[in-house]
Amino acid sequence: MAESKESIGKQVARGTLWSGIDKFGGMALQFVSNLVLARILMPSDYGAIGMLMIFIAVSQVIVDGGFGSALIQKKSPTQTDYSTIFLWSVGLGTLLYLLLFLCAPLIARFYAMPELSAVLRVVAVSIVLMAMSSIQINRLQKRLSFKAIAAGNISAQVVGAVVGIWMALKGAGVWSLVGSWLSSAASRVLI
C-alpha cells in the first residue's frame, strides 16, 4: 500500500512539474514571440485579431462543453466514449465554423472593417483544429502524460511563433498573426 502511495505521489510531482513547464514555458514563448511581432506589426493588426478572438474563444468553449472533462472524470471510458465525444466536438466545431464563415461579412460590417471578413473566415478554421486535438489531449491527461502534453504544446507554440515572425518579416501584417495561430493549432493536431 505504501508503495502505491509513493508511486502516486511521484506521478503527482512529475505531473505538476510538467504542467508548470507547459504553462510557464508556453507563456515565455508567447511573450517573446509577441515582443518580436509587436516590433514588426502595426497596432491595428493586433486590434483586428483582438476583435475576432472573442468569437473564436466563445466557439471553443461551446465546442468543449465539458465533455472532455467528463471523459477524464469517468472511471473507465471506452473507445466508443472517446469516439463519440471526438465526433461530437469536430461536428460542432465544423458547424460553428460554418456559422462564423457565413456571419463574417456581418461582423466585418459591424466593426466597419471589411478586411475582417476574410481574416475571420480563415482564423475560424482553428475551431475545428482545436476540436480535433482536444480529445487526444484529454486522453493524455487521463493517463497523467503531462510530459507529452507539455512537449506537444511547446512544440506547437514554437512552430506558431516561427511562422508568425517569418510572415511578419515578409510583410504579411495581420495575416502573420493568423498564420501563427493556425500553424500552432495544426501542429498541435499533428503532434
Side-chain angles (χ1 to χ4, degrees):
M1 186 79 159
E3 187 177 315
S4 68
K5 284 185 181 179
E6 182 180 55
S7 161
I8 291 171
K10 285 182 181 178
Q11 286 180 341
V12 168
R14 268 195 305 267
T16 302
L17 173 69
W18 282 108
S19 290
I21 289 170
D22 184 14
K23 293 289 181 209
F24 292 113
M27 285 172 34
L29 276 167
Q30 194 70 33
F31 179 74
V32 170
S33 172
N34 282 336
L35 273 178
V36 173
L37 287 170
R39 297 286 297 157
I40 301 169
L41 299 176
M42 302 296 292
S44 60
D45 296 329
Y46 276 98
I49 285 293
M51 288 186 280
L52 299 178
M53 281 300 123
I54 187 66
F55 297 102
I56 304 303
V58 168
S59 296
Q60 287 173 343
V61 168
I62 292 170
V63 168
D64 180 41
F67 290 118
S69 298
L71 283 175
I72 292 172
Q73 293 175 11
K74 187 173 180 179
K75 187 172 181 157
S76 299
T78 65
Q79 182 59 39
T80 303
D81 294 331
Y82 284 114
S83 297
T84 301
I85 301 302
F86 175 80
L87 291 173
W88 170 258
S89 295
V90 172
L92 186 57
T94 302
L95 182 66
L96 288 170
Y97 168 75
L98 291 173
L99 181 66
L100 286 176
F101 185 91
L102 294 172
C103 291
L106 298 173
I107 293 167
R109 200 170 318 136
F110 175 78
Y111 286 118
M113 295 178 70
E115 65 274 9
L116 288 183
S117 181
V119 172
L120 180 57
R121 285 177 168 172
V122 175
V123 80
V125 170
S126 67
I127 298 166
V128 178
L129 293 173
M130 299 275 193
M132 292 173 73
S133 66
S134 67
I135 299 306
Q136 307 314 323
I137 291 170
N138 287 333
R139 277 189 122 145
L140 291 171
Q141 287 174 333
K142 183 146 181 88
R143 286 189 259 158
L144 303 176
S145 299
F146 295 108
K147 182 179 180 180
I149 294 169
N153 286 339
I154 290 173
S155 298
Q157 287 183 332
V158 167
V159 169
V162 168
V163 167
I165 292 168
W166 177 79
M167 288 178 71
L169 289 171
K170 295 293 183 185
V174 70
W175 290 102
S176 59
L177 296 170
V178 173
S180 175
W181 187 264
L182 284 180
S183 61
S184 179
S187 297
R188 192 169 284 114
V189 170
L190 294 174
I191 293 169

